[in-house]
Amino acid sequence: MYNIVILGPPGSGKGTQSKLIEERYNLLHLSTGDMLRREISEGTDTGKQVKGVIKSGNLVSDEIVTSLIASSIDCDVGHDGFLYDGYPRTVNQAKQLEDLLSHRNMTIDVLLVMEVEKGELVKRLSGRGVAAGRPDDQSIEVINNRLEIYRSITEPLVSHFCQKGICARIDGMGKIEEIFARIRGAIDKICVRQ
Ligand code: AMP
C-alpha cells in the first residue's frame, strides 16, 4: 500500500494534480478540505462546528481532520493506497497520521511539495473563488491569511519529512501535464528505491 502526501500552499494545484495521481496509481484521494465542505453542505454537527473557521481561512482542529482521515482509511476497499491532499497541515497532524498508519502497518512513502510563486498563487485563488463558489477564496484578506498560515504552520512539516528522505520538491509552475510528469518522476524514483 502506498501512502503519498501532497503538500503545498492554497492554489498550488494540489487538487488538480491529485485527480491525475489517484487515477494513475489507483489511490483513494483524501482531501480534508473536500470532506469538511461536504460536512458543511450536509449540515452535520461537524459541518456546523467548522463553517466559520473555514470561512475565515483558519485551521480546523487536528482531532476533527484526523478522525475524518482515519474513518476513510478504515472504510476503503480496492485501492492500492491513499493520497492525502491538504492533510497533514500541522506538526501534530503529521504525528497523528504517522501513528495511525503505524497501527495499520503502513508508513508515509512520499511527500510531494508543490512550489509556486506567491503572485501566481494569489492570481489562481482569486480566479477560482467565484467560479468554485468558495467563500474562502473570495476575499484578499482571507487568501493572505491562508497563505500566511501555510508559511508559518504547515511549511515546517517539509523539513520534518525531508530528514526521512521521502520528500520531493515539485516545480508547480507550467502546464498541468508538465507538472504531472515531474510528479510521476518523483513518485517512481522514491518508490523504486524502497
Ligand atoms: P483546502 O480545500 O485544502 O484549501 O481547505 C479549505 C479549508 O479547510 C482550510 O482553509 C481549513 O480551514 C480547512 N482545512 C482543510 N484541511 C485541513 C487540515 N488538515 N487541518 C485544518 N484545517 C483544514
Side-chain angles (χ1 to χ4, degrees), residues 31 37 39 41 50 68 79 82 99 101 108 119 123-124 126 130 136 140-141 170 178 187 189 191:
S31 155
R37 283 186 286 276
E39 297 284 333
S41 68
V50 302
L68 287 172
H79 290 97
F82 304 98
D99 276 359
L101 290 181
I108 299 170
K123 200 168 91 190
R124 289 185 191 175
S126 328
V130 180
D136 56 345
I140 191 68
E141 288 77 25
I170 306 292
E178 289 165 358
I187 294 177
K189 193 167 150 199
C191 292

Side-chain angles (χ1 to χ4, degrees), residues 10-11 14 31-34 36-37 50 53-62 65-66 85-90 93 125 128 134 136-137 146 149:
K14 301 188 298 291
S31 155
T32 42
D34 287 350
L36 292 165
R37 283 186 286 276
V50 302
V53 182
I54 292 187
K55 196 164 180 218
S56 64
N58 292 318
L59 293 183
V60 167
S61 80
D62 295 338
V65 284
T66 297
D85 163 9
Y87 175 90
R89 258 172 156 100
T90 66
Q93 287 176 24
L125 289 168
R128 89 175 171 190
R134 283 188 55 161
D136 56 345
D137 284 341
R146 291 165 63 216
I149 287 177

Side-chain angles (χ1 to χ4, degrees), residues 166-178:
I166 57 165
C167 160
R169 292 177 186 276
I170 306 292
D171 175 2
M173 302 287 288
K175 295 207 181 82
I176 291 173
E177 315 81 68
E178 289 165 358

Side-chain angles (χ1 to χ4, degrees), residues 7-160:
L7 199 80
S12 59
K14 301 188 298 291
T16 306
Q17 293 298 329
S18 290
K19 292 198 181 77
L20 301 171
I21 302 168
E22 65 169 328
E23 210 173 286
R24 162 90 188 201
Y25 295 94
N26 188 33
L27 305 177
L28 179 65
H29 176 204
L30 300 172
S31 155
T32 42
D34 287 350
M35 291 175 189
L36 292 165
R37 283 186 286 276
R38 202 171 311 128
E39 297 284 333
I40 295 174
S41 68
E42 289 172 1
T44 65
D45 286 345
T46 302
K48 288 182 190 132
Q49 225 175 310
V50 302
K51 194 172 177 178
V53 182
I54 292 187
K55 196 164 180 218
S56 64
N58 292 318
L59 293 183
V60 167
S61 80
D62 295 338
E63 283 60 39
I64 289 180
V65 284
T66 297
S67 75
L68 287 172
I69 289 285
S71 44
S72 304
I73 291 179
D74 291 337
C75 290
D76 182 59
V77 274
H79 290 97
D80 294 331
F82 304 98
L83 173 64
Y84 306 88
D85 163 9
Y87 175 90
R89 258 172 156 100
T90 66
V91 172
N92 188 41
Q93 287 176 24
K95 292 197 178 120
Q96 290 175 337
L97 177 60
E98 284 171 324
D99 276 359
L100 76 85
L101 290 181
S102 81
H103 285 121
R104 292 160 180 80
N105 290 319
M106 297 188 284
T107 53
I108 299 170
D109 300 287
V110 183
L111 177 89
L112 302 165
V113 186
M114 303 300 294
E115 297 187 324
V116 173
E117 290 157 14
K118 184 168 178 203
E120 174 70 13
L121 293 173
V122 173
K123 200 168 91 190
R124 289 185 191 175
L125 289 168
S126 328
R128 89 175 171 190
V130 180
R134 283 188 55 161
D136 56 345
D137 284 341
Q138 289 182 35
S139 124
I140 191 68
E141 288 77 25
V142 174
I143 288 176
N144 280 331
N145 184 31
R146 291 165 63 216
L147 292 173
E148 176 53 24
I149 287 177
Y150 179 79
R151 195 197 59 74
S152 58
I153 300 178
T154 306
E155 212 164 33
L157 290 184
V158 176
S159 56
H160 170 83

